[in-house]
Amino acid sequence: MDILTHALSGMAVATCAVTFTKGKALRKAKVIFTGALGGLLPDIDAVSMWSRFDSTFGALFNLSDTGRVIYGSKFWYSHHAFFHSLLASVLIGALIILLVYMFRHISSKKKLSFSSFIQNHFIYFVVFVLGYWAHLAGDLPTPSSVWGGIAFLWPSDDYIGGSGNIWWWNNYDIFLLIFCCIVINLIMPTISKRIRANKKVFTSVVLFVTLVLILVQVNTRQYDYAYKGNTTKYAEMEQNSKKEQERILGKKLYRLMDRFDRSMKFHF
Ligand SMILES: [Zn+2]
């Protein structure tokens, strides 16, 4: 799935999780941003496709394979491997919290208690991990391709998902559902007193309904996008994913989304 939808999926989860915490607007905004970060981070393993990977990371770690080969392989640092696992979500979340603590500890004049810092910042860890999981869930219905899914239970060699229900990108319907979830969860509690009083339930229901609607969309695609390894039908499948969106969204909304897509510097 595209990186923008991934980031927003983490953010959507965070708009719900944040209602379970207390704090000022800035703290809540940071929590929501952390969800987006969790939604982004698993695809850090696509760095091997960066044009200067071989001359930087490749040279630094003395890697015998090119970034392109690494990307489609099953090394722990390949795409869809360790960074797309449950273990990575927890380890990276813990590492980030630890780094933030160390930075604060060094930069603050007062002694900073580790236990009270963790207590205060545990929500960031939780939201990061949840955002990370939202990313992993979003990758499950994409094609198997050369990986056969994602290494969800790494270090196990088994890859799960790769059902090919949806194409890699052009999933505008899913993007719009997630976008609406975020907007509703952020705006509704501010304009309605009743919703504000029940914001935990409200945002949870909105998130749940969004998930159900996404599942419906994922499972009612008219075209099949499943393939293993490489496919000669890549361009055809990509075209089909566009046709599918035009059918779902209608001509007007599709045209709008298509224009938005073309303005992006990455696959969307
Ligand atoms: Zn991914």
Side-chain angles (χ1 to χ4, degrees):
M1 197 179 270
D2 69 275
I3 198 67
L4 181 61
T5 309
H6 273 315
L8 291 190
S9 68
M11 202 175 193
V13 174
T15 60
C16 172
V18 80
T19 59
F20 288 80
T21 62
K22 289 191 177 106
K24 290 186 178 150
L26 180 65
R27 178 180 160 90
K28 290 187 174 172
K30 282 189 202 166
V31 170
I32 292 169
F33 168 77
T34 306
L37 184 70
L40 272 173
L41 215 121
D43 277 349
I44 199 163
D45 58 20
V47 69
S48 59
M49 289 299 273
W50 177 38
S51 58
R52 279 195 252 163
F53 178 86
D54 295 334
S55 59
T56 53
F57 290 97
L60 182 67
F61 295 107
N62 204 14
L63 302 174
S64 51
D65 294 287
T66 64
R68 189 165 279 273
V69 170
I70 290 166
Y71 181 79
S73 299
K74 293 214 172 168
F75 300 115
W76 72 265
Y77 45 91
S78 293
H79 192 44
H80 280 195
F82 165 72
F83 288 100
H84 280 70
S85 73
L86 214 54
L87 185 65
S89 69
V90 177
L91 284 183
I92 295 171
L95 185 70
I96 291 175
I97 287 284
L98 207 66
L99 286 174
V100 173
Y101 168 75
M102 281 164 64
F103 177 75
R104 291 266 184 90
H105 187 69
I106 292 165
S107 58
S108 90
K109 283 173 187 139
K110 277 188 241 158
K111 197 174 173 280
L112 191 60
S113 146
F114 182 69
S115 60
S116 69
F117 176 85
I118 292 298
Q119 231 170 23
N120 231 327
H121 292 77
F122 192 64
I123 181 68
Y124 292 97
F125 171 76
V126 171
V127 166
F128 177 85
V129 170
L130 291 176
Y132 209 105
W133 290 356
H135 179 120
L136 302 186
D139 277 345
L140 291 178
T142 55
S144 277
S145 188
V146 289
W147 307 284
I150 59 167
F152 187 68
L153 295 174
W154 193 92
S156 160
D157 290 336
D158 294 333
Y159 278 60
I160 67 159
S163 58
N165 289 64
I166 60 171
W167 188 240
W168 298 111
W169 37 79
N170 301 335
N171 293 298
Y172 307 149
D173 53 342
I174 296 171
F175 164 83
L176 287 169
L177 283 169
I178 294 171
F179 182 73
C180 288
C181 170
I182 294 170
V183 171
I184 293 169
N185 275 353
L186 289 181
I187 290 180
M188 288 311 284
T190 65
I191 56 176
S192 163
K193 219 174 174 181
R194 246 175 98 183
I195 290 175
R196 194 155 56 245
N198 299 291
K199 58 185 178 204
K200 286 181 199 168
V201 178
F202 178 81
T203 56
S204 302
V205 169
V206 171
L207 188 65
F208 178 73
V209 170
T210 305
L211 179 65
V212 171
L213 291 175
I214 289 173
L215 285 174
V216 170
Q217 290 306 109
V218 165
N219 289 293
T220 53
R221 293 279 195 259
Q222 280 186 353
Y223 295 100
D224 185 13
Y225 302 99
Y227 72 89
K228 283 189 178 124
N230 294 299
T231 176
T232 51
K233 290 185 175 173
Y234 194 91
E236 187 190 319
M237 284 180 174
E238 181 157 19
Q239 268 316 103
N240 287 345
S241 69
K242 284 266 191 182
K243 281 186 212 162
E244 188 115 48
Q245 289 301 319
E246 193 169 4
R247 175 185 64 81
I248 296 167
L249 303 178
K251 278 201 163 47
K252 265 189 185 166
L253 186 53
Y254 170 75
R255 228 176 288 144
L256 203 73
M257 291 306 298
D258 185 49
R259 211 179 306 152
F260 179 59
D261 185 344
R262 284 170 206 275
S263 72
M264 297 279 149
K265 293 269 186 281
F266 51 85
H267 287 298
F268 167 69

